[in-house]
Every structure is written in structure tokens, then in C-alpha cells.
Amino acid sequence: MFTTDSAGWAATKALQVDALRRLGEAGIRPMLAPAEVAGAVGVFVGLLSDDKGLEWLGLLGGIGLLVTMVGAVIYHLKGGDAPKEAAPAVVLAVLCVLYLVASLGR
């Protein structure tokens, strides 16, 4: 989900830059897609890891993605977007929380 979202970021660069510029945060854009991909890779490694030594990558990835999605919700609402514009970030944030809870319970 996050890797395809990051590909979408790359494909819709002009739209994303305009949205972030409207919020006064255009400088953050170059960091978002790599952060999402890194988080997704961390979660993937954490899910596949049987080794307790690598589970921390999944936790860090999940926390990073959660922070990214909470930031997305804040910026959508700060920018005056309709709540439906922030809904995908809310759903992904909930999925991150569920992943983290499940990971900590293992």
C-alpha cells in the first residue's frame, strides 16, 4: 500500500507540490516518498522475520509510517481540505496502529 502510494507521489509531482505549497510545506515533499518506502520495507522485513534481531525494523517502520500518516491528516485539515481528503491517511494510520499492536503482542 505505501509503496504504491509512494509511486503515486512520484507520478503526481505537480499536484503534490501545489498542495504542499498551499500549506507552506513544499520543502517536505522530497522526503515523503522515500520515508514511506523505507517504512514499508521495514514493516515487510519485520513481518517476514523469524529472527528476533530484525523485528525492530518492523516496529520502526510502523512507527515511521504512523507518524507520516498523522502528519498527513494534520496537513489536510490545516489546509482546509474536506475530511474525505484526509480519510485515506486516517485509514492507513489505523492500520499502522493495528500492525504495531500485533507486533508488540508477538
Side-chain angles (χ1 to χ4, degrees), residues 83-96:
K84 71 176 186 173
E85 297 295 325
V90 171
V91 170
L92 292 173
V94 169
L95 289 175
C96 288

Side-chain angles (χ1 to χ4, degrees), residues 17-97:
V17 169
D18 288 342
L20 289 169
R21 189 172 290 129
R22 179 171 45 95
L23 295 171
E25 300 294 336
I28 199 171
R29 187 199 179 281
M31 296 179 282
L32 291 176
E36 289 180 1
V37 170
V41 169
V43 168
F44 186 70
V45 169
L47 285 171
L48 295 180
S49 176
D50 289 336
D51 180 12
K52 294 286 186 188
L54 292 178
E55 284 183 350
W56 62 273
L57 281 175
L59 291 174
L60 286 178
I63 291 168
L65 292 174
L66 178 60
V67 169
T68 302
M69 292 302 102
V70 169
V73 171
I74 290 169
Y75 279 108
H76 276 292
L77 298 178
K78 176 181 165 185
D81 290 342
K84 71 176 186 173
E85 297 295 325
V90 171
V91 170
L92 292 173
V94 169
L95 289 175
C96 288
V97 169

